[in-house]
Structures are given as C-alpha cells and as structure tokens.
Amino acid sequence: MVGAVLVKDGRVIGEGWHRCFGGDHAEVDALKHAKASPRGSTLYINLEPCSHFGKTPPCVDALISSGIRKVVAAMPDPNPLVSGQGFSLLRRAGIKVEVGRMKSESQELNLSYLTWIKKGRPLIALKAGQSLDGKISSRTGRSKWITGPDARDYGRRLRFMFDAILAGINTVLSDDPSLGYRPPVQPRSLLARKRHFKVILDSRGRLPLSAKLWRGPSQVVVAATQAAPESRLQALRRRGARVLVCGQRRVDLKRLMALLRPEVGSLLVEGGAQVHGSFVDAGLIDLFYLFQAPLILGGEQARTSIAGRGFDSPAKALRLSLAAEYCLGEDHLHVYRNH
C-alpha cells in the first residue's frame, strides 16, 4: 500500500500509487503522471523505494534518472532485498534522503505487508459479533441478528479489505453463508484485479456442492485433511475448489498459512467459537475486530466468541491493545492489536 507525491516549487506536479501486484510502483507511477519536469523536485513516499529487480525494475534507477533533488520517506522497507539499500543508492547518487516522518501511520497502512515479510505468513484478523456478555448466539443456538444493520454492512465492507475470508465447515452447514464482500466505490478496472479467496476449514470434505459460497467471483479454497475421502476431494475440485490437504485428522493451521502465503497477504477469520479458539491457541492472531451489541443474552449454554484450549490464568492470557473504536448505529466496533 504505497503512494507517492512529487512537489516542485511549492506545488504538486505528480501523484502515483501502486495499483496492483506486478504494476508500476508508486514512485514510477508518479513520475509517469508528472505535469512538469521532475528535475529538482522532492518525492514524498510512505515506503523506501525498491533497489532490486522483481515484477518491475528497481525504482531507485528511475528516480536517479529523473533528476529529483530529495526523497522524504516514512520508513525503510523490511524486505531483505531492499532494507536500506534503496536509500543508500539514492544518497550515493547525490539525492538527499529524509526518513521517519509519519512512520507509525505508514506501519499501520502496511501492516499486512510487514506481517508477510517479518512473520512469513498472512496478516490474520479475527472478527466476531457478540452481546455485552460475550455471547455469539442464544442458548437455543440462534444468532440472527445480534448486531444491527450498520455493523453488518461494515462487516461486509471489511471483507473486501482482506485477500481472503475463512470460516469453518460447521458455520457453512448451519448458516449457509455466501461470505460475499461489499466493495468500495472505485473503477471497475481495479475491482476486476482484486483477487479474493473463501477458505473453508473442512477436515472431512463435507462442503456441499450447492452452498451459497460458491456464488460470486471469489476462489473457494478447501482446507482438508487425510481423513477426507478422496472421492469428496475430487468432487470439490471438479466444482472449482482449490483443495489443500493440511494434516491427518485436524487441519494444521500453520501449514495452511504457509500454503496460502504466496497469494494471500491478509486473512479475515469469521469462524465460530471453535475456529476462533484454534487460531488463538496456535498464536495466529494479529488483529481482533469485536462488534458488540447492547444486548445481554445470558445462559450457560449460550456460546461465547472464543473457545479452544484457552489459558491457565489471566496472567498467561493473550493481552491485546486497543487500536481503534467506532460507533455503528447502536453497536460498537473495537479493534484490538496483538503486538
């Protein structure tokens, strides 16, 4: 998520951004859209310009050739292929470099990329809608609707911000969700480039071939195990699913994240209590989107948002920090981060 602005003689002469994977990087896009010669200008950018050949040539070469005078960057690129080398090449070419302005904002913007580089897996966010007493359904199992229309609409738009959405097979069998997203208003050409995945934890290959989640442009990914009958896996493949076998009887979540990593940079988990608990137990949580409705459901049999093995004591519990809060109609959204 990178944007760049060229400024010369006190006015903006060019703007650019990284539109899609494999496309021009932000600084090159800004140079191409400059309304005047960039010679002597200052480039403002939120990530260090790359210095290596990847999907595109090194951006530092284009910047040096353009004759710009200065680069103001928010943060270094943690990618080992760059990691300060871009700044060094610019300075060596006589271009002034300033680093660190609005660093925290840049890190927030690129949290998915930073996780992908540093942890070797996608950014993982859990999403739950619950009552004030932490229930995601009543004692009879009814969950529609705990949160209101504003919160549900925000949740559908939140899905678009992630490369993939994950749910468990029990959620699919009981609710038959479409797991669709609501895109923001932007050009159709950009929406067409958006690759989106629906990942289903389905150890025995029970996903119905007529489920609603098959609808829409998203690629369905079934995370199964060796316990699944081969005939079922073949049927799912014929239906269009990508089948990943991860484990013997239970899906190995860390193995699944490694298999998803080449194409999935961020994952939104919308499972039930057991799925959420599995991710927490495995230490696979970076963000937690908690939608809370002003309801009290009560009931010892009513499900809470996170099950799993859990922790022995509050002292050993996973402690998160509050990152943001929003009011959505009568409901509230609390966004927590795992540092």
Side-chain angles (χ1 to χ4, degrees):
M1 303 288 283
V2 185
V5 178
L6 281 168
V7 176
K8 185 176 182 180
D9 299 328
R11 66 186 184 93
V12 174
I13 63 168
E15 296 176 290
W17 57 292
H18 187 203
R19 288 170 167 78
C20 64
F21 181 64
D24 287 333
H25 287 190
E27 49 271 63
V28 172
D29 191 49
L31 290 171
K32 287 184 176 179
H33 291 91
K35 300 175 182 177
S37 170
R39 186 165 298 279
S41 65
T42 297
L43 175 78
Y44 294 87
I45 189 166
N46 60 298
L47 189 68
E48 177 183 6
C50 70
S51 56
H52 66 290
F53 279 92
K55 292 286 184 180
T56 61
C59 293
V60 292
D61 292 351
L63 293 174
I64 293 171
S65 299
S66 71
I68 65 169
R69 179 181 62 86
K70 184 178 179 180
V71 170
V72 179
M75 61 175 289
D77 189 334
N79 187 337
L81 296 174
V82 185
S83 193
Q85 296 180 53
F87 293 146
S88 296
L89 291 172
L90 291 171
R91 290 189 176 105
R92 202 175 304 163
I95 297 173
K96 295 180 180 179
V97 176
E98 180 183 325
V99 185
R101 188 172 298 187
M102 299 184 74
K103 181 179 180 180
S104 60
E105 290 88 344
S106 181
Q107 290 175 328
E108 183 77 20
L109 180 67
N110 276 304
L111 192 56
S112 173
Y113 173 67
L114 297 178
T115 303
W116 197 80
I117 290 293
K118 293 180 178 180
K119 297 183 180 180
R121 61 163 174 78
L123 171 76
I124 301 172
L126 272 57
K127 170 180 171 285
Q130 66 178 42
S131 62
L132 288 176
D133 53 339
K135 308 297 185 180
I136 60 173
S137 68
S138 69
R139 58 185 173 81
T140 59
R142 299 177 67 178
S143 60
K144 293 184 179 179
W145 294 102
I146 290 179
T147 55
D150 291 346
R152 296 197 300 272
D153 179 71
Y154 188 96
R156 285 189 288 270
R157 287 185 282 120
L158 181 66
R159 290 172 178 173
F160 185 81
M161 297 169 56
F162 290 80
D163 296 331
I165 177 173
L166 181 145
I169 185 60
N170 289 332
T171 296
V172 176
L173 294 176
S174 61
D175 299 339
D176 193 20
S178 64
L179 301 180
Y181 57 78
R182 179 165 295 173
V185 178
Q186 56 177 287
R188 283 190 176 184
S189 60
L190 296 179
L191 292 177
R193 297 174 185 169
K194 172 71 175 177
R195 296 200 66 193
H196 197 264
F197 301 85
K198 298 174 182 178
V199 183
I200 308 301
L201 299 183
D202 186 11
S203 59
R204 289 180 285 160
R206 295 184 292 158
L207 177 62
L209 302 182
S210 59
K212 289 181 182 177
L213 61 82
W214 294 101
R215 303 172 188 173
S218 301
Q219 167 76 61
V220 174
V221 178
V222 175
T225 68
Q226 295 175 11
E230 184 59 31
S231 59
R232 283 295 303 161
L233 300 186
Q234 289 295 348
L236 291 169
R237 292 188 181 100
R238 287 194 296 270
R239 184 65 175 83
R242 176 182 173 189
V243 176
L244 302 176
V245 178
C246 316
Q248 295 183 336
R249 305 197 69 83
R250 291 179 60 88
V251 174
D252 183 333
L253 294 179
K254 291 184 178 180
R255 173 61 177 162
L256 174 60
M257 295 305 107
L259 293 175
L260 291 175
R261 185 180 182 271
E263 296 177 288
V264 175
S266 57
L267 177 73
L268 181 64
V269 180
E270 285 195 32
Q274 292 296 334
V275 170
H276 286 161
S278 296
F279 274 86
V280 172
D281 289 344
L284 296 173
I285 172 175
D286 301 299
L287 294 172
F288 185 25
Y289 290 87
L290 178 62
F291 294 82
Q292 197 161 40
L295 307 174
I296 294 179
L297 283 170
E300 294 182 0
Q301 303 303 315
R303 289 180 297 167
T304 56
S305 56
I306 297 178
R309 184 174 64 251
F311 300 91
D312 295 337
S313 68
K316 296 180 180 179
L318 174 64
R319 185 169 295 275
L320 308 177
S321 61
L322 182 64
E325 289 183 293
Y326 304 96
C327 182
L328 302 169
E330 294 185 344
D331 304 323
H332 284 83
L333 168 61
H334 308 273
V335 184
Y336 294 94
R337 178 182 293 175
N338 180 18
H339 287 285

